[in-house]
Amino acid sequence: MTTIRDVAKRADVAPITVSRVLNNSGYVKPETRARVEQAAAELHYVPNMLAHSFRSNRTNTLALVVTDITNPFWTTVARGVEDVASAHGFSVFFCNTDESESKQAQYLAALLRRRVDGVLLAPATSSGAAVQSLMQQKVGVVVIDRCVEGIAVDTVRGDSVGGAHQLVRHLTDLGHRRIALLAGPRDLSVSRERAAGYAQALGEAGLAVDPALQLFGAFSVESGRSMMQALLAQPARPTAIFAASNFIAAGALRAMREANLRTPEDVSVVVFDDLPDPYVTEPLLTVVAQPAYALGQIAAQRLLEKISHSEQEDVCDILLPVRLIIRRSTQAPAPESLLDK
């Protein structure tokens, strides 16, 4: 393996000069810098980052731990994180937990062994245990998209309550009265917040929450399909559904197609988070869109600030605005469905 001394010998400089060039520390004449960089390239020199991390107590690595990296929302968040990290000389590990607390624990243990400088975490549960373990190891942490209980930690998330309220208010304004909620796990903060926005909009329209129309499952296509099938098995089906995530919506639409139901003619659909064309072609869905890329950027910037100023004790909860986009998946309910108002 090529060493820093080999590069110094090829460039006819001292090893300390090579170190200054490669670490961009201290002044080096431009012609000398060019000679060192050329020698390093010719010898295919790769710095020993492990040794460097022990000297500097920094590995210049972050981790993004999310629930499902195949979800377009998380893919966009990841791009925002990576762009900010790369601009500051950091690399990013991506971890996928599938909403599993045990899988999350395994990843976090591996990341601690790799001595990452910070973690951006979408917790698998609202328990603060995972965040607490990272803090105890003096690892910077920012929670994204969700909240944890009982721990003061930086959080960056979209406005779940407000977004859900906008979507359900749109349905009640159209005249819908039997509006179902298909949500994620009941114990997650983001599920509770979207359910709260749903209930708030119903209450403003003079409607009570019907427990039979409020289903909790997982933020997955399979769960969306099974929850929709359960709704359709009820004696009176809803005239509209609020899917609390894009993957839940994809599953619900699949169940509706299997039952020969049309959107929006038979059932109107609104969704929290957008879905790209490969998942839904027609009708284009009415959604609340979160600024996913900005969420990733802001969370990464906040984490880098914490890493650079480890003594910083202030904690912030950054709530990002969401945007209602009305498309073709909603319309007023059919006249016969209004008889039960």
Side-chain angles (χ1 to χ4, degrees), residues 224-289:
R225 180 171 176 261
S226 64
M227 286 190 287
M228 191 68 207
Q229 288 172 335
L231 277 177
L232 296 179
Q234 296 183 16
R237 73 165 183 256
T239 63
I241 65 166
F242 162 39
S245 86
N246 49 12
F247 270 18
I248 288 176
L253 290 169
R254 181 181 300 175
M256 288 171 59
R257 287 193 299 270
E258 293 168 349
N260 295 317
L261 294 175
R262 300 163 299 165
T263 301
E265 292 85 357
D266 297 313
V267 182
S268 289
V269 177
V270 297
V271 187
F272 207 108
D273 286 330
D274 216 343
L275 267 172
D277 290 346
Y279 292 92
V280 179
T281 53
E282 188 62 32
L284 295 176
L285 295 172
T286 293
V287 303
V288 151

Side-chain angles (χ1 to χ4, degrees), residues 66-69 96-101 103 124:
V66 300
T67 59
D68 187 353
I69 200 66
N96 188 79
T97 67
D98 295 317
E99 303 281 10
S100 165
E101 195 167 13
K103 194 172 181 181

Side-chain angles (χ1 to χ4, degrees), residues 186-210:
R186 192 186 295 269
D187 63 343
L188 284 181
S189 64
V190 70
S191 296
R192 295 195 299 267
E193 288 167 358
R194 291 173 192 177
Y198 162 82
Q200 181 182 344
L202 289 182
E204 291 172 358
L207 303 171
V209 174
D210 182 349

Side-chain angles (χ1 to χ4, degrees), residues 34 49 75 90 95 110 128 141 148 164 193 228 239 286 302:
M49 296 308 295
T75 303
F90 280 72
C95 304
V141 58
V148 294
E193 288 167 358
M228 191 68 207
T239 63
T286 293
R302 180 61 181 171

